Amino acid sequence: MPKMRRKADLPTKTCAACGRSFAWRRKWARDWDEVKYCSDRCRSARGRTAAAPAATPRGR
């Protein structure tokens, strides 16, 4: 059985949608060069703006 790797030893990338770093996963082994997003949520949000406008409190 192969020796386990530490998560810190795996290659990482930065998500194109949220800017967070994410590590290599086995399911991405064949497509690692094409992976751009850290999650399905970021992948589905790729066409939307990066962040929703923040709600400002209204002064009365």
Side-chain angles (χ1 to χ4, degrees):
M1 195 161 156
K3 191 173 182 179
M4 298 295 290
R5 284 191 177 189
R6 292 184 190 160
K7 191 159 184 141
D9 295 338
L10 297 173
T12 60
K13 286 188 177 185
T14 303
C15 179
C18 67
R20 294 181 181 152
S21 63
F22 60 97
W24 182 90
R25 294 184 188 174
R26 181 177 283 178
K27 69 179 185 177
W28 292 333
R30 288 180 286 137
D31 306 329
W32 181 244
D33 293 333
E34 288 82 34
V35 174
K36 298 178 187 174
Y37 305 102
C38 64
S39 64
D40 288 337
R41 182 177 180 178
C42 284
R43 187 170 43 88
S44 66
R46 67 181 168 219
R48 293 185 229 146
T49 57
T56 55
R58 296 178 190 234
R60 291 187 182 188

